[in-house]
Structures are given as structure tokens and as C-alpha cells.
Amino acid sequence: MKKIEVECCDVTCVHNQIIEAVKEKMPAEELLNELADFYKVFGDATRIKILCVLLRSEMCVCDLAEMLGMTQSAISHQLRVLKQMKLVKNRREGKTVYYSLADGHIQNIISQGMEHIME
């Protein structure tokens, strides 16, 4: 990644009205921490791969493991994290458990992220 220089003000001038107006609208600390945890889930390439696969089709753990060249145990571990964060859901059909994206929001997050990095 290319190093980018950040420009700073030449003088110190605090705009108290703006600060107060923004403070009033800031979410609670707990909510911000939950949001940070949510985005941390996207910081793992394996989880992103799983989400991208599930963007195309629901799959069982066996299929995901084969598709990504990983063990079922490794896939299950990542699916557990994704399910805890409500990014994936599952359904049972006989002895097989199929996973899919939890809702359309996840598709939007992945799609927008891809658009952003491809600009």
C-alpha cells in the first residue's frame, strides 16, 4: 500500500459549536464497540471467501471445504464466527446443514466493499 501524507491545520482553532453538535448525535460507546467488532469479522480473508461463495449459492460445510481447499473443521470454526455476528444462517435438510447469507444487507456490504477497492 502506498504511503499517503495527511495534511494538518497550520493553526489550532477548535470549532466548539461543531464539536457539540456532533457529540449529541454520536452513538453510545457500547454501540460503537459492537460496530467495530462487526467490521473485524471482515478482516479475515477466509471469512470473506466464505461470504463471497455464499453470495453465489448456499452450501454445506463439505462443499465449502472442497471449494476453498480447507478442512471441514476450519470451515466450521469460521462459520461459527460468522453466525455469531449474524452474517450467515443455516438450515437442516436431513443430515445435511446448508449455510447462506443471513440477509440482503450482507450482500450489499460485500458488493460495496468490492466496488470501493476496485475504484
Side-chain angles (χ1 to χ4, degrees), residues 95-112:
K95 293 183 178 185
T96 306
V97 178
Y98 292 95
Y99 285 85
S100 60
L101 296 181
D103 58 43
H105 294 112
I106 311 313
Q107 181 177 354
N108 291 340
I109 292 167
I110 298 290
S111 298
Q112 289 179 350

Side-chain angles (χ1 to χ4, degrees), residues 14 17 23 27-29 32 38 41-42 47 54 59 87 108:
V14 177
Q17 285 180 314
K23 272 185 185 178
E29 191 73 25
L32 291 172
F38 173 77
V41 172
F42 294 94
R47 290 192 288 264
L54 296 178
M59 284 194 185
L87 298 174
N108 291 340

Side-chain angles (χ1 to χ4, degrees), residues 62-72 74-75:
C62 305
D63 293 340
L64 284 164
E66 181 68 25
M67 175 94 188
L68 299 178
M70 297 175 66
T71 65
Q72 289 184 33
I75 294 295

Side-chain angles (χ1 to χ4, degrees), residues 27-80:
E29 191 73 25
E30 183 178 324
L31 190 58
L32 291 172
N33 289 332
E34 286 180 33
L35 183 61
D37 289 341
F38 173 77
Y39 280 110
K40 282 179 191 175
V41 172
F42 294 94
D44 181 90
T46 299
R47 290 192 288 264
I48 293 294
K49 287 177 190 175
I50 291 171
L51 292 172
C52 285
V53 168
L54 296 178
L55 189 62
R56 305 288 175 223
S57 176
E58 75 172 0
M59 284 194 185
C60 70
V61 175
C62 305
D63 293 340
L64 284 164
E66 181 68 25
M67 175 94 188
L68 299 178
M70 297 175 66
T71 65
Q72 289 184 33
S73 175
I75 294 295
S76 292
H77 172 74
Q78 297 301 339
L79 285 169
R80 188 177 314 108

Side-chain angles (χ1 to χ4, degrees), residues 5-24:
E5 188 175 319
V6 178
E7 293 189 45
C8 295
C9 298
D10 293 332
V11 297
T12 300
C13 178
V14 177
H15 301 88
N16 290 318
Q17 285 180 314
I18 295 172
I19 291 171
E20 289 305 314
V22 171
K23 272 185 185 178
E24 288 178 18

